[in-house]
């Protein structure tokens, strides 16, 4: 198995996911910090569909290496790497008198969800590495 | 590192909420103060918050597309409430006017208590956000530990 096959898109995808969730955490912190600022509208990072699209493209469009002399095209990785997400405004349905459109409960929920998804990505990535390590050492990875 | 950005934003909010809490304490403490250095009764004070771009030494962070929308919070101004003072009838008070009315501060204690609760909750929300960022950063360190 080539070394590229060991790490494949899983590591790439999880790394990107962790990166984007970090950026989302920044935006959510900003929303919570400005929960009382007049005319502030809450924002969040939408990237799930873009990431999924890149992943689908990566699976379908990856050029196969059928001969040792082929130069592997890394289209898939680059496509995953280029996912940046987009910042969308998520105003509360009932903005306050001062024009502030942040719902604190909503933001706390979003933050918890983001944190759990982040932890999940980290955990899967850890397991992935532990699996590879176990294959290398053959002793269960200690 | 990105997480410090998030923590800095939350920290700016903690300091802003702390300022507001100080003003609320001041309003409550002076709810019956009829003499001030400026003359007249105490006037209720309030903080004006504004969302400002994150300022730190890493300017390139600001150029990052996702971080351009991150805003910290700052107290831009401390304003005095322009509502008229409440007039209480108390002819024996040394600050009473000719008709026996004393100009008392325009502080409504119930309003201040409600503001105090909101401030406390906002402060707690920001502490939670810092803890979340911290636990995420610590979790990232676990990737290769086991």
């Amino acid at each position: 198995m080539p070394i590229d096959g060991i790490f494949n898109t899983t590591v790439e995808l999880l790394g990107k996911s962790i990166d984007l969730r970090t950026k989302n955490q920044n935006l959510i912190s900003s929303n919570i910090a400005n929960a009382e600022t007049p005319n502030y509208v809450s924002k969040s990072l939408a990237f799930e569909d873009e990431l999924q699209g890149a992943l689908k493209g990566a699976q379908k469009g990856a050029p196969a290496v059928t001969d040792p002399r082929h130069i592997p095209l890394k289209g898939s990785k680059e496509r995953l790497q280029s996912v940046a997400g987009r910042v969308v405004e998520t105003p509360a349905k009932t903005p306050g008198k001062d024009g502030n459109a942040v719902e604190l409960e909503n933001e706390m929920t979003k933050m918890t969800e983001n944190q759990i998804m982040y932890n999940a990505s980290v955990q899967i990535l850890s397991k992935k590495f532990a699996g590879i390590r176990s294959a290398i050492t053959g002793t269960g990875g200690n | 590192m990105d997480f410090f950005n998030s923590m800095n934003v939350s920290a700016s909010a903690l300091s802003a909420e702390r300022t507001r809490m100080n003003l609320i304490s001041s309003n409550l403490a002076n709810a019956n103060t009829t003499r001030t250095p400026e003359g007249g009764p105490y006037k209720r004070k309030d903080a004006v918050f504004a969302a400002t771009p994150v300022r730190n030494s890493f300017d390139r962070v600001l150029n990052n597309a996702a971080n351009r929308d991150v805003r910290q919070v700052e107290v831009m101004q401390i304003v005095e409430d322009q509502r008229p003072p409440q007039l209480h009838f108390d002819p024996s008070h040394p600050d009473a006017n000719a008709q026996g009315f004393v100009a008392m501060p325009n502080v409504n204690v119930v309003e201040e208590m409600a503001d105090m609760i909101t401030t406390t909750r906002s402060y707690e929300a920001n502490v939670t956000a810092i803890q979340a960022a911290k636990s995420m950063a610590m979790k990232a360190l676990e990737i290769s530990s086991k």
Side-chain angles (χ1 to χ4, degrees):
Chain A
M1 190 191 267
I3 202 82
D4 227 29
I6 296 177
F7 294 109
N8 59 36
T9 46
T10 313
V11 173
E12 210 70 33
L13 178 66
L14 289 171
K16 195 73 207 173
S17 158
I18 290 171
D19 188 27
L20 292 168
R21 296 242 171 247
T22 310
K23 294 203 162 68
N24 199 15
Q25 169 73 21
N26 281 346
L27 285 172
I28 298 170
S29 293
S30 156
N31 293 343
I32 294 173
N34 287 290
E36 314 248 343
T37 306
N39 299 318
Y40 182 87
V41 179
S42 67
K43 305 180 192 78
S44 83
L45 192 69
F47 60 86
E48 282 93 348
D49 47 345
E50 204 182 326
L51 199 59
Q52 202 166 29
L55 184 64
K56 271 189 191 142
Q59 279 164 351
K60 272 188 206 152
V65 181
T66 52
D67 188 289
R69 285 169 297 177
H70 281 171
I71 298 168
L73 291 172
K74 300 216 168 159
S76 57
K77 273 191 182 172
E78 272 156 23
R79 216 169 304 146
L80 270 177
Q81 279 305 328
S82 69
V83 174
R86 44 181 210 290
V87 176
V88 287
E89 289 199 335
T90 51
K93 290 189 180 68
T94 50
K97 256 189 207 164
D98 58 356
N100 178 285
V102 180
E103 269 173 353
L104 198 55
E105 299 82 359
N106 232 334
E107 297 307 322
M108 297 311 277
T109 317
K110 261 161 58 186
M111 187 177 71
T112 313
E113 184 194 330
N114 192 55
Q115 197 184 356
I116 291 171
M117 295 306 282
Y118 177 95
N119 286 352
S121 297
V122 169
Q123 196 139 1
I124 299 169
L125 195 55
S126 294
K127 293 286 179 218
K128 172 87 184 164
F129 285 139
I132 295 170
R133 199 172 297 128
S134 154
I136 295 170
T137 59
T139 57
N142 279 315
Chain B
M1 191 167 148
D2 252 7
F3 278 121
F4 295 133
N5 216 345
S6 154
M7 288 186 203
N8 283 337
V9 168
S10 298
S12 77
L14 291 184
S15 118
E17 298 294 347
R18 161 78 58 206
T19 307
R20 196 153 78 115
M21 189 58 107
N22 285 345
L23 292 175
I24 293 170
S25 302
S26 156
N27 290 343
L28 281 172
N30 288 293
N32 293 309
T33 304
T34 54
R35 290 176 195 179
T36 52
E38 306 87 51
Y42 176 86
K43 282 187 177 137
R44 179 178 172 269
K45 288 172 181 57
D46 202 1
V48 179
F49 285 6
T52 56
V54 181
R55 257 188 256 121
N56 59 17
S57 51
F58 305 106
D59 278 345
R60 58 189 177 81
V61 175
L62 290 175
N63 299 329
N64 186 314
N67 279 328
R68 213 178 303 146
D69 295 283
V70 176
R71 293 279 182 277
Q72 63 180 29
V73 62
E74 255 182 84
V75 176
M76 289 311 268
Q77 214 186 341
I78 291 170
V79 289
E80 282 189 343
D81 198 321
Q82 294 306 321
R83 278 180 286 187
Q86 304 172 34
L87 294 175
H88 284 199
F89 186 68
D90 184 3
S92 64
H93 197 285
D95 292 325
N97 63 11
Q99 285 80 39
F101 283 101
V102 188
M104 298 297 273
N106 54 357
V107 175
N108 181 348
V109 175
V110 181
E111 198 182 306
E112 297 305 320
M113 294 307 279
D115 273 357
M116 189 162 79
I117 295 169
T118 340
T119 308
T120 314
R121 293 292 169 259
S122 300
Y123 192 89
E124 284 169 2
N126 282 292
V127 171
T128 311
I130 292 181
Q131 278 167 350
K134 188 181 133 196
S135 91
M136 283 163 81
M138 295 309 287
K139 189 84 184 165
L141 295 179
E142 287 174 20
I143 289 179
S144 64
S145 70
K146 273 180 257 164

